[in-house]
Amino acid sequence: MADRKIRILLAKPGLDGHDRGARVLARTFRDAGFEVIYTGCHQTPEQIVGAAIQEDVDMVGLSCLSGAHRYLFPAVAQQLQEQGADDITVVGGGIIPEQDMQPLYDAGLKALFTPGATLDSIVDWINENIKPRD
Amino acid sequence: MEELGKRAMAGDIRAASRLIRNIEDDIPETTKAIKHIFPYTGKAHVVGITGSPGAGKSTITDQLIFTMRQREKTVGVLAVDPTSPFTGGALLGDRIRMLRHAEDKGVFVRSLATRGAMGGLSKAVGDGIHVLDVMGKDIILVETVGVGQQEVDIINHAHTVIVVLVPGMGDEVQAIKAGLMEIADIFVINKADKDGARKLYKETLNMLNSGNFPNGWRPPILMLESSLEPHSFAASVEKLCDKIDEHYKHLVERHQLKERAIRKVITEMNDALRAAILEPVLSELAATGEFDFMVEKLLSKETDPYSLAEEISKKYLNK
Amino acid sequence: MFTEELLDKSSTMRKKWEDEVKKTVAKHADQKEKWTTVSDLEIKRLYGPEDIKNMDFEKDIGYPGQYPYLRGNQVTGYRGKYWTFRMFAGMGSAEETNQRWHYLLNSGQTGLSTAFDFPTLMGYDTDSPKARGECGKCGVAIDTIDDFFTLIKGIPLANITTSMTINPPATALWAMYCAAAEIQGIPLTKIGGTIQNDMLKEFIAQKTLMCPPEPSVKLISDTVEFGTKYVPRWNTISISGYHIREAGATAVQELAFTLRDGMEYVEDVIARKGLHVDEFAPRLSFFFNSHIDFFEEIAKLRAARRIWAKAMRERYGSTDERSWWMRFHTQTAGCSLTAQQPYNNVIRTATEALAAILGGTQSLHTNSLDEVLCLPSDHAVQIALRTQQIIAEETGVVNTIDPLAGSYFVEALTNEMEEKAWDYIHKIDDMGGMVKAIEKGFPQMEISDAAYKYQRQIDSGEKIMIGINKYNTDEDVEIPFLEIDDSVEKEQIERLNAVRRKRDSRKVRECLDDIRTACKKGENVMPYCIEAVKSYCSVQEICDVYREVYGEYRDPGMY
């Protein structure tokens, strides 16, 4: 019986190891009925994009708390584009100052979640905006 | 859909991963793609890796990928993790151990969730192997769930089955109970630096000593050093790689590949029949409400399951 | 603690009070059923003599400067000396950080504390592909001793203590400090400071990873041995619970895992280096979090001192009371702050700072109100520093030592913390120690469970964070923003390349070979590291040798 399930890759690009949020989200997504591939800390954009494509995910969630999001998030979005995979939605989370947001949206990120975003609000956003691709 | 098969065969990674997704999601037209690629399958050496959770299967798989790449073989991996029976979601955590290969074009890793399948695999494993096979992967590693259930289905898909045991987890008893001892072509005792590794080795050896090996292959027992000692771990996985090659050579030389192939096609035929005959019937019964009606009849003892089954098979199979 | 007579009397009175409570609650129910700490520890409505009746005054409480040091290490408390006001600082280039340091010293700060950027923390040079986008973002970028000279310009190394938050590459950075002192003609016996150098909590919580646990502990024991012999005023490890707590641990988990980490280091140095515990234990220091739950934190810090004293004396047979002292730095909890209504963070930090001081901390960092959003601005740092100064010089809480001692509640909670911590410690002992427990993923999973539970409690409103799930407002608060320009990375790479061109590359190779040989032979790497940094070997070049010899450890991703 055909049954499309939402698949999500959760990754921590860059060198920061503050993975509390990512790990809590991994469990939250499982409990919301998604299939989650968590790739752990210290990933390069290349590794994340390679994994996202091989896993045929619908969404890539990036978490970064080091301030390097300005380079790392667009790098992931851009490389997905270059590999013809811009149908994979990219979202980000972490300490993202207001003035960094527009450039990140311009680079192709679809949503940004900052401190204080509730788990339910993130799950709701996914349910509303991410459809398994046909 | 056939197009996806063609593109996967041509090495298009996006097409291949999409095809596996469609297999997993059970998209009906996917069979067209499988029909297209089926004639070209059967070239890769499929290696199953099974054992209890926490036995270190993913870490071994990662090092096997590394060693096989050094030997200039391309590698495909299917790593299966359990689906939560409560939420239908899954945390697919095997890949994290294999990320150093993410940029290597000669490696393709795919995580699969069991989605309710028993036997330690996902229903998509059989056809998933075909996809990796026609992508031209020399070796396909299939890592099973490792929840200690009857994880013997791997024998229907793999040429070589590695059973990973760790000391101190009651693995020997568990493994015998689960029937893992019968399916092993190679035993690996992981974390061999741990207390109890010698004991586990002896027990496994004793068990092998009381067995007979009609195929002429006596499963070797390998001790793997802890992965936290990277150099000795790498060296012991080299030896494991040698054994895997040796086993394949044995299958080829003794003309036993066919036996494994027969097992695989029988499994696939069974699955396909179930999908083609049983599932449509079930879904029609469900759609018309007949199924619920039948349940009621059974509850009230008006009839019994066998009579109902005969009735249905008369209707649908013209028996 | 009490006479039978008093306990009897108390019990009768208590019964009467309980009856009244029942009646009142029947009419006006309590606002909620369960009252818990932020760590979800249940707290009773009232504590009385019966809650601490089993305490032995001499064994369990005592006096300041006396075993078991529940009431503090210093006989004179804060009257002799306040805690050290030590604000963590570092950003951008070495030059910028040096300027911030001078600013802080001029504002009345009494010790320095260095924040390094992520490439430095992970042992990568700024030009490594893994470092892209990270340079100077969360701290100062140090590639070679050339940067280090800039960092310490005008800082009197013999008169001021410096703390360096550095873990996997601690040997390399400490070597730079030692080398810089030597070059300035200051003997190593004169310099003082701290390197964090605590890898166990990295595996458990913060994930600044390089080599597997076992060789990581070996490198730490090298620094302990070297410090014991040649740099006696240096704290070679700051055994840290801060990051464990920030990763989502409960107060008890923070306490237990941190102290068990400390025990692991003690055991390794004794076994590997053959030192007597009292030769090095006086230089071990600790680093705790001060979270928002006021009394829980005070109880945690008081319990920590008592557990450590007992462990040192009874478990390791230490006879030098300096080994029994748990000396610790505290930082207020970053994870308790909110990006929403950021000025509220001043109140949170002040409360947490007060808890740390009532818990008897010897050094304190107070977070700035903007730290959830960015690196702290000068103005925000000043408020944070003033918070400490106000507590010290206006509030009067420092007038008397350990003012909460003897409180039924505080003593009972302190005892409960200690008991629960020992349960964890013994459990880890049974697993074969902390390295083994980490390999099993035990502390990691305990913390993950606690973090998940807490987040769910926040989401459901069971636990409150003002501005997140209660009293939310839509207004946008503009706060001044400190930003690190992306040009810092380019300039740093240019500086690094200039050093590479200038240095003697044959000497660099020789020095790195010496470190390699030392690693392989199990010798102490410190003397070789000092030679290497003097020859302008970079942080990554030294760390690459470790990775090569010991292997690289990657995040096993437990959740």
Side-chain angles (χ1 to χ4, degrees):
Chain A
M1 209 84 57
D3 176 22
R4 284 278 187 219
K5 244 185 214 304
I6 293 180
R7 282 170 72 86
I8 296 172
L9 187 99
L10 257 183
K12 278 195 65 59
L15 297 177
D16 103 82
H18 298 91
D19 59 355
R20 176 178 179 168
R23 284 183 299 138
V24 166
L25 272 181
R27 288 190 188 198
T28 305
F29 289 169
R30 176 198 58 195
D31 292 349
F34 310 142
E35 290 185 355
V36 194
I37 298 111
Y38 175 50
T39 62
C41 301
H42 311 137
Q43 301 306 310
T44 62
E46 289 77 9
Q47 288 175 315
I48 293 166
V49 168
I53 290 177
Q54 292 185 3
E55 296 290 353
D56 196 59
V57 293
D58 303 301
M59 182 186 112
V60 174
L62 302 171
S63 163
C64 175
L65 286 93
S66 74
H69 55 262
R70 278 193 299 205
Y71 166 76
L72 293 165
F73 289 6
V76 171
Q78 192 193 333
Q79 288 179 31
L80 279 171
Q81 228 157 29
E82 284 165 9
Q83 306 211 23
D86 51 355
D87 50 339
I88 298 176
T89 304
V90 186
V91 305
I95 301 173
I96 301 161
E98 193 68 41
Q99 71 267 29
D100 286 0
M101 290 197 168
Q102 198 52 51
L104 291 177
Y105 288 126
D106 293 343
L109 274 93
K110 288 288 181 298
L112 295 167
F113 300 97
T114 50
T118 64
L119 299 177
D120 288 341
S121 70
I122 298 173
V123 169
D124 288 346
W125 187 91
I126 293 171
N127 277 323
E128 270 164 41
N129 294 280
I130 305 294
K131 299 280 170 275
R133 294 163 302 123
D134 276 324
Chain B
M1 204 52 87
E2 204 182 313
E3 187 58 26
L4 267 188
K6 281 185 190 155
R7 277 168 50 205
M9 281 186 69
D12 180 336
I13 293 178
R14 279 225 88 191
S17 59
R18 174 89 310 211
L19 187 50
I20 296 176
R21 173 77 175 276
N22 287 343
I23 296 165
E24 271 195 292
D25 289 347
D26 217 354
I27 306 301
E29 307 90 273
T30 310
T31 49
K32 285 187 195 152
I34 306 296
K35 283 179 201 165
H36 178 80
I37 64 173
F38 189 80
Y40 308 98
T41 61
K43 296 194 182 75
H45 177 193
V46 182
V47 180
I49 301 168
T50 188
S52 55
K57 296 188 294 293
S58 302
T59 310
I60 295 171
T61 305
D62 169 65
Q63 192 62 32
L64 276 175
I65 301 172
F66 179 83
T67 311
M68 284 162 173
R69 290 299 292 145
Q70 284 203 318
R71 297 180 181 189
E72 291 178 354
K73 288 177 180 157
T74 55
V75 186
V77 178
L78 296 176
V80 189
D81 266 323
T83 294
S84 158
F86 305 106
T87 67
L91 262 176
L92 307 172
D94 295 329
R95 185 181 190 104
I96 198 168
R97 317 281 160 113
M98 308 168 199
L99 268 162
R100 59 173 161 158
H101 312 290
E103 289 173 72
D104 180 349
K105 298 280 177 242
V107 179
F108 183 99
V109 180
R110 187 63 151 71
S111 313
L112 300 171
T114 52
R115 299 201 182 176
M118 304 302 276
L121 295 177
S122 140
K123 265 167 66 188
V125 159
D127 286 339
I129 290 171
H130 287 327
V131 176
L132 297 179
D133 193 346
V134 299
M135 282 174 81
K137 300 297 175 215
D138 299 319
I139 304 273
I140 297 169
L141 303 171
V142 181
E143 188 184 323
T144 73
V145 169
V147 283
Q149 51 185 331
Q150 295 273 325
E151 294 208 0
V152 292
D153 281 6
I154 186 65
I155 190 73
N156 299 325
H157 297 285
H159 300 109
T160 305
V161 175
I162 301 171
V163 171
V164 183
L165 306 171
V166 274
M169 292 177 71
D171 259 7
E172 51 287 1
V173 189
Q174 251 346 85
I176 293 167
K177 266 202 243 163
L180 285 181
M181 290 306 188
E182 282 76 34
I183 65 167
D185 297 306
I186 298 170
F187 285 103
V188 162
I189 295 177
N190 196 20
K191 305 180 185 173
D193 56 323
K194 263 191 156 178
D195 306 337
R198 290 307 305 175
K199 185 167 162 275
L200 179 54
Y201 178 84
K202 271 200 188 134
E203 279 164 354
T204 315
L205 194 66
N206 282 343
M207 191 204 58
L208 282 175
N209 283 341
S210 62
N212 52 8
F213 310 100
N215 294 331
W217 174 264
R218 185 192 154 104
I221 311 171
L222 273 94
M223 308 280 268
L224 288 198
E225 300 293 325
S226 160
S227 62
L228 297 170
E229 312 257 349
H231 300 297
S232 43
F233 178 64
S236 53
V237 172
E238 287 266 350
K239 284 188 199 133
L240 173 58
C241 237
D242 293 342
K243 283 291 169 202
I244 293 170
D245 288 346
E246 219 174 282
H247 181 249
Y248 194 71
K249 217 171 127 208
H250 171 89
L251 292 180
V252 174
E253 282 171 0
R254 303 288 188 93
H255 309 290
Q256 289 168 8
L257 271 182
K258 197 176 170 192
E259 282 169 39
R260 305 270 172 153
I262 290 171
R263 256 201 296 242
K264 182 160 169 69
V265 291
I266 289 176
T267 309
E268 286 176 329
M269 198 56 216
N270 283 334
D271 288 347
L273 283 174
R274 207 170 291 124
I277 300 172
L278 185 59
E279 280 170 18
V281 172
L282 284 173
S283 54
E284 195 182 315
L285 291 175
T288 57
E290 251 177 294
F291 197 85
D292 293 338
F293 186 58
M294 282 156 49
V295 170
E296 285 302 322
K297 283 216 279 196
L298 288 174
L299 281 175
S300 64
K301 310 283 182 213
E302 210 177 297
T303 179
D304 61 88
Y306 299 102
S307 309
L308 274 178
E310 279 164 18
E311 212 177 285
I312 291 160
S313 87
K314 245 182 225 150
K315 180 173 162 196
Y316 286 97
L317 299 175
N318 308 318
K319 263 180 153 179
Chain C
M1 281 282 281
F2 306 102
T3 60
E4 286 301 321
E5 195 193 343
L6 185 140
L7 287 170
D8 280 348
K9 197 177 277 174
S10 165
S11 147
T12 318
M13 294 168 73
R14 186 181 182 95
K15 179 103 199 8
K16 196 172 156 216
W17 168 73
E18 277 171 354
D19 289 343
E20 286 301 316
V21 167
K22 260 188 217 142
K23 273 189 250 163
T24 312
V25 170
K27 270 187 276 174
H28 308 284
D30 285 344
Q31 301 175 64
K32 55 184 177 181
E33 217 164 279
K34 226 175 117 187
W35 296 75
T36 56
T37 66
V38 71
S39 305
D40 220 30
L41 197 67
E42 195 159 356
I43 299 295
K44 297 198 272 189
R45 189 188 297 272
L46 183 80
Y47 289 76
E50 51 283 350
D51 292 296
I52 55 168
K53 64 179 184 208
N54 294 327
M55 283 186 92
D56 179 306
F57 180 80
E58 193 191 342
K59 259 177 48 205
D60 299 328
I61 299 180
Y63 276 84
Q66 290 177 20
Y67 187 85
Y69 303 98
L70 176 73
R71 309 204 59 188
N73 304 332
Q74 309 290 345
V75 287
T76 58
Y78 291 131
R79 287 193 178 198
K81 183 177 171 284
Y82 296 135
W83 58 94
T84 307
F85 302 170
R86 195 188 292 282
M87 306 293 283
F88 191 44
M91 72 288 192
S93 64
E95 202 176 338
E96 278 174 89
T97 303
N98 177 265
Q99 281 164 13
R100 172 67 68 96
W101 279 7
H102 282 287
Y103 171 81
L104 286 166
L105 290 174
N106 292 334
S107 306
Q109 170 160 304
T110 51
L112 292 173
S113 176
T114 327
F116 295 102
D117 71 354
F118 272 106
T120 311
L121 289 172
M122 290 284 291
Y124 294 113
D125 289 341
T126 305
D127 61 351
S128 158
K130 296 204 175 195
R132 283 170 301 179
E134 306 265 15
C135 176
K137 285 285 189 301
C138 279
V140 59
I142 302 288
D143 290 320
T144 69
I145 199 167
D146 189 58
D147 303 318
F148 205 83
F149 289 140
T150 312
L151 181 69
I152 58 168
K153 203 167 167 200
I155 305 290
L157 297 189
N159 307 325
I160 199 144
T161 61
T162 307
S163 164
M164 293 195 281
T165 298
I166 190 79
N167 293 285
T171 48
L173 272 298
W174 190 36
M176 286 184 191
Y177 203 96
C178 295
E182 280 183 1
I183 290 165
Q184 291 182 13
I186 302 164
L188 293 184
T189 49
K190 285 272 180 332
I191 58 170
T194 305
I195 40 176
Q196 193 164 76
N197 202 24
D198 167 13
M199 279 309 295
L200 292 173
K201 66 97 172 51
E202 296 295 341
F203 297 107
I204 295 172
Q206 193 177 232
K207 316 285 161 69
T208 313
L209 305 170
M210 190 166 80
C211 298
E214 209 276 333
S216 299
V217 173
K218 184 262 174 198
L219 287 175
I220 292 164
S221 290
D222 279 1
T223 60
V224 174
E225 182 188 41
F226 188 80
T228 302
K229 290 183 177 159
Y230 307 108
V231 205
R233 290 183 57 217
W234 202 278
N235 302 311
T236 40
I237 327 178
S238 169
I239 305 150
S240 307
Y242 185 81
H243 320 81
I244 292 175
R245 192 65 180 284
E246 290 287 305
T250 63
V252 167
Q253 287 168 350
E254 178 194 355
L255 180 62
F257 297 158
T258 309
L259 269 72
R260 190 57 189 79
D261 283 352
M263 296 174 198
E264 193 86 352
Y265 294 127
V266 168
E267 287 164 19
D268 192 79
V269 174
I270 293 172
R272 196 188 298 268
K273 300 294 185 186
L275 294 179
H276 185 271
V277 61
D278 289 329
E279 287 182 83
F280 64 91
R283 297 313 297 173
L284 297 176
S285 65
F286 287 81
F287 173 22
F288 289 105
N289 194 298
S290 188
H291 214 290
I292 195 70
D293 199 289
F294 193 66
F295 290 108
E296 187 172 52
E297 293 309 288
I298 296 168
K300 178 189 79 185
L301 296 175
R302 297 175 83 242
R305 269 194 303 272
R306 192 164 63 197
I307 297 174
W308 189 246
K310 283 186 192 168
M312 292 314 286
R313 200 167 84 166
E314 286 156 27
R315 213 173 140 119
Y316 301 112
S318 154
T319 53
D320 182 345
E321 64 168 8
R322 292 177 312 141
S323 303
W324 306 345
W325 296 344
M326 160 172 280
R327 297 170 307 120
F328 61 88
H329 171 71
T330 308
Q331 179 170 339
T332 56
C335 64
S336 72
L337 306 185
T338 60
Q340 292 74 9
Q341 306 174 39
Y343 289 105
N344 294 347
N345 293 333
V346 177
I347 292 99
R348 293 191 177 99
T349 298
T351 310
E352 293 165 359
L354 186 58
I357 290 155
L358 291 173
T361 194
Q362 280 161 304
S363 170
L364 182 62
H365 167 99
T366 31
N367 288 325
S368 301
L369 68 99
D370 53 0
E371 275 183 69
V372 195
L373 301 158
C374 57
L375 284 171
S377 66
D378 281 353
H379 179 63
V381 169
Q382 196 185 56
I383 296 175
L385 179 58
R386 293 286 178 260
T387 305
Q388 296 195 35
Q389 291 162 338
I390 289 168
I391 295 174
E393 311 206 28
E394 293 184 12
T395 64
V397 297
V398 295
N399 289 345
T400 187
I401 302 172
D402 191 26
L404 294 174
S407 146
Y408 303 125
F409 171 44
V410 171
E411 295 299 359
L413 191 59
T414 304
N415 294 343
E416 190 177 352
M417 289 274 144
E418 178 173 347
E419 266 165 47
K420 292 201 152 87
W422 278 114
D423 286 348
Y424 263 127
I425 291 169
H426 292 141
K427 203 166 184 181
I428 294 165
D429 288 343
D430 291 342
M431 291 179 186
M434 197 44 128
V435 167
K436 295 282 177 236
I438 287 169
E439 287 171 16
K440 277 200 177 73
F442 172 72
Q444 298 95 309
M445 289 309 290
E446 289 288 301
I447 295 170
S448 256
D449 290 346
Y452 187 61
K453 185 174 165 198
Y454 180 72
Q455 195 58 47
R456 281 295 180 198
Q457 288 172 328
I458 290 288
D459 272 21
S460 69
E462 189 183 334
K463 294 247 185 284
I464 302 296
M465 275 180 102
I466 305 295
I468 298 275
N469 61 3
K470 205 168 186 180
Y471 310 120
N472 300 10
T473 51
D474 286 334
E475 62 187 302
D476 257 341
V477 183
E478 283 287 317
I479 59 166
F481 219 82
L482 179 75
E483 211 181 327
I484 301 303
D485 199 82
D486 293 336
S487 65
V488 169
E489 180 166 325
K490 209 174 131 247
E491 285 160 20
Q492 181 63 21
I493 291 175
E494 279 164 17
R495 258 194 301 275
L496 175 58
N497 286 334
V499 170
R500 288 213 180 107
R501 278 194 300 274
K502 267 197 323 220
R503 66 185 186 175
D504 177 350
S505 49
R506 199 176 52 95
K507 189 88 203 337
V508 167
R509 262 199 315 279
E510 281 170 13
C511 286
L512 295 173
D513 282 343
D514 288 346
I515 297 177
R516 187 174 295 112
T517 311
C519 287
K520 286 187 176 156
K521 284 189 182 159
E523 272 180 68
N524 196 316
V525 297
M526 273 311 294
Y528 302 104
C529 283
I530 293 177
E531 283 315 305
V533 299
K534 281 183 184 167
S535 307
Y536 292 90
C537 289
S538 72
V539 172
Q540 176 165 358
E541 285 163 345
I542 293 170
C543 290
D544 280 346
V545 173
Y546 298 149
R547 291 187 186 100
E548 175 199 322
V549 179
Y550 299 129
E552 216 170 320
Y553 184 85
R554 289 182 301 269
D555 175 19
M558 294 168 181
Y559 29 74

